[in-house]
Amino acid sequence: MDINYRLAFEMAPVGLALSRNRIMVDCNNRLCDMFGAAPDQLIGQSFQVLYPSALEFERTGQRMAPLLNRTGTYADDRIMKRVDGRFKGETFWCHVTGRAFNQAAPHEAGIWTFEDLSARRPVKAELTAREREVATFLMDGLTSKEIGRALAISHRTVEIYRARLMRKYQASNTGDLVHKLMSGQ
């Protein structure tokens, strides 16, 4: 069977990007559509353009490096930002999965998939960068102490952010908050 890998890359049902040192060296049309950008707006750019803030880009890179070193793969749900088009600047939930080509140098080169979750999980509240990070870990089922260790902050600080999220989402408890985050209520 003769497989046209370029066609498969372009026809993939998810956004795909190839990276070198956190710079996009290639991407498919689905990724461009998802972020409202033309290929020339993404290729050659840092993944930072897809994040709501530079700080979140840096923190995510620091958080994923040890896992990429250990397993070669990384996945999470996170809030990303549309680059251009009629929804420019809009934030949305996105499932991101990546694989490092070299576990010893995880950011050196990799392949990344992006799945837009906004149809089933809209962003309902304006969140700060730290609130978005805490929300991501809460949805993964981590405790305040585990989140604090992952973010290098105290568990009491995590509890303050969780309380803010509960107010913004009008949640009665953490379980209710996670449900509302996951369902976009």
Side-chain angles (χ1 to χ4, degrees), residues 30 46 52 54 58 61 74 79 93 142 181:
R30 180 66 189 110
S46 164
E58 291 301 324
Y74 181 84
I79 293 180
W93 281 103
L142 273 66
L181 287 166

Side-chain angles (χ1 to χ4, degrees), residues 12-34:
V14 294
L16 292 171
L18 297 175
S19 67
R20 289 207 185 282
N21 300 311
R22 300 187 80 193
I23 302 291
M24 291 175 269
V25 295
D26 199 2
C27 64
N28 68 357
N29 288 326
R30 180 66 189 110
L31 185 80
C32 292
D33 293 345
M34 187 182 312

Side-chain angles (χ1 to χ4, degrees), residues 53 55-56 59 63 127-137 147 150-153 157-158 161 164-165:
S53 72
L55 187 60
E56 287 169 273
R59 286 183 185 155
R63 187 171 60 243
L127 304 178
T128 67
R130 188 60 90 182
E131 288 169 342
R132 287 190 288 269
E133 289 177 317
V134 169
T136 296
F137 283 119
I147 295 169
L151 297 176
I153 59 177
T157 302
V158 172
Y161 284 108
R164 288 180 187 168
L165 287 165

Side-chain angles (χ1 to χ4, degrees), residues 35-36 64 76 93 99 101 109 116 119 122 126-127 136 142 156-157 161 164 166 173 175 182:
F35 287 94
M64 73 174 61
D76 70 12
W93 281 103
R99 181 164 192 88
F101 293 158
D116 185 344
E126 288 296 320
L127 304 178
T136 296
L142 273 66
R156 299 228 186 261
T157 302
Y161 284 108
R164 288 180 187 168
M166 289 175 65
N173 56 45
M182 298 286 279

